[in-house]
Amino acid sequence: MKDFREMKRRGERITALTAYDYPTARLLDESGIDIILVGDSVGMVVLGYEDTTLVTLEEMLHHTRAAARGVKNALLVADLPIHTFDTPEQALATARRFVDAGAQAVKLEGGTSHVPQIEAITRAGIPFMAHIGMLPQNVREEGGYKVKGRTQSEAQSLIADALAVEKAGAFSVVLEIVQAETAKQITKALSIPTIGIGSGEHCDGQILVTHDLIGLFPWFTPKFVSPEARVADEIRRATRAFIERTRNGSALSNIQS
Ligand code: KIV
């Protein structure tokens, strides 16, 4: 495992993307990404659920096994899905199942409220990535994906969360949709790196859902993402070309030879 604290100290930015299958994980790994996350975002961008709250442990383990087969150099982190870490004992048992599936580290959503779960995982020697700010597993209670850390009291409570997860042994912390100035303050307050998603430029690294980065989920793109490719358009183009050449008979020579 790379020394992510040392990267922070040197001012070297950390790069992270999601993958849920073998080819994507292998392509990201071969491209030199530092961290690959098997995120529970798989529920939305691959499985077609409305949000991440329907993702099951078995689904996450299945995708973790597939991604693990494609990774040689990056750190493979897996997300603990909702209600698989309600107690410290359950969190540790779930984390162990991900390690058995090929993950090298695990992540769960929560700050101060989840310190006992985080400590159970880190004390067992399993590397742990924290996740604070907007927590997608709470989207139903919160009524949407809202920016966190806008008010003084929200900023203070996020800083307290960040310090608590660092103390509990996290090696890094994802800051999701945190107001940029608050993300900067958290980044300064910690010795572990912050990995931002929609949280401005002052984090020690950045993470994105790969489908957003490459334009593979064209029906919704978060405001903070600038896609680098339009893979959905390419799929549509190739599909139409195949339909066309099959219908007019020009594909037959390919099929026979
Ligand atoms: O599930 C996921 O992809 C995540 C990232 C958005 C950080 O948790």
Side-chain angles (χ1 to χ4, degrees), residues 18 20 37 39-41 79 107 109 131 174 176 197 207 209:
T18 60
Y20 322 104
L37 171 69
D40 61 359
S41 51
D79 244 349
K107 167 167 95 54
E109 295 181 12
H131 184 159
V174 169
E176 181 154 359
I197 174 161
I207 184 164
V209 170

Side-chain angles (χ1 to χ4, degrees), residues 11 25 62 74 79 105 122 132 159 161 177 179 190 213 249:
H62 168 82
D79 244 349
T122 57
I132 63 171
I159 293 170
D161 280 336
I177 334 184
Q179 200 258 340
L190 298 185
L213 177 71

